[in-house]
Amino acid sequence: MRLIVLLLIGLLGLGCDRQNPGREQATGSTRPAKGVDRSHKGETAPATLFEDPDGADFSLAGLKGSPVLLNLWASWCAPCVKELPTLDQLAVEQDGKLAVIAVSQDMAPQSSVTAFLKQHGVGNLDAYHDPEMGLTSALGVQIMPTTVLYDSVGKEVWRFAGDLDWTSPEASKLLSEASPATAH
């Protein structure tokens, strides 16, 4: 138990960054930048399987036809928890125009993700779960939360590393890029 507490304290001290030595060498930076990253524009959404709210296999390919905002978060990440209510509100505001998919990267069972969302009053986001962190790996995510906007044909428009108020004017401007005109 003592080891677990020490590990959790260490993780909190590091923030929600996930360092990758390969990235450090490639960019010359020791920390990934927070904010908008358009360097992956046009890349196809990964075919990585994760769990839908019922625990069944799911992939982003099933969402083609409408733009998708994919958010990778974890319960141990304070900035992730801070932005979840704004994603929850966005899901209501964008219903039918933009699919808002928040995928927990926690290793705990699916039921704990559902309970966590309920405990935090997040009732409009479904409890998607990726306990193997396959999306994190497939997308090369270094910071949690990371949110990726895909156009209606499944091509990346941009990604945002770090938390954002998804109901803010800045977010609205970014989300306006999800229009069908961005489809390739």
Side-chain angles (χ1 to χ4, degrees):
M1 182 67 172
R2 183 186 219 170
L3 179 59
I4 292 171
V5 171
L6 289 173
L7 286 171
L8 287 173
I9 290 170
L11 284 173
L12 289 173
L14 293 173
C16 296
D17 290 356
R18 180 174 174 239
Q19 292 297 317
N20 177 333
R23 178 169 173 124
E24 182 177 324
Q25 290 174 352
T27 64
S29 170
T30 58
R31 292 180 64 89
K34 179 180 175 180
V36 178
D37 175 2
R38 297 178 190 280
S39 66
H40 300 276
K41 185 173 182 158
E43 291 181 10
T44 302
T48 305
L49 294 177
F50 53 96
E51 297 175 4
D52 72 9
D54 297 321
D57 285 345
F58 189 83
S59 81
L60 295 174
L63 298 171
K64 285 186 181 173
S66 68
V68 175
L69 188 70
L70 171 71
N71 174 267
L72 302 181
W73 68 279
S75 62
W76 48 263
C77 171
C80 299
V81 175
K82 175 183 158 193
E83 85 172 351
L84 278 173
T86 69
L87 283 164
D88 194 47
Q89 185 176 340
L90 182 69
V92 172
E93 293 171 4
Q94 295 291 320
D95 189 33
K97 297 179 263 180
L98 174 71
V100 179
I101 307 293
V103 184
S104 168
Q105 301 297 286
D106 289 291
M107 291 185 239
Q110 174 78 25
S111 59
S112 68
V113 176
T114 303
F116 184 88
L117 292 174
K118 184 176 182 180
Q119 175 187 357
H120 286 83
V122 176
N124 301 302
L125 294 176
D126 291 325
Y128 289 93
H129 188 216
D130 183 13
E132 302 297 321
M133 297 189 349
L135 287 169
T136 298
S137 294
L139 293 168
V141 168
Q142 299 294 309
I143 294 176
M144 290 244 209
T146 290
T147 305
V148 183
L149 179 66
Y150 291 101
D151 64 22
S152 59
V153 295
K155 301 289 185 180
E156 185 169 327
V157 178
W158 49 255
R159 59 182 66 184
F160 192 94
D163 63 306
L164 181 66
D165 176 350
W166 291 100
T167 62
S168 71
E170 178 185 3
S172 293
K173 184 177 179 184
L174 286 169
L175 293 170
S176 70
E177 298 178 41
S179 69
T182 62
H184 298 119

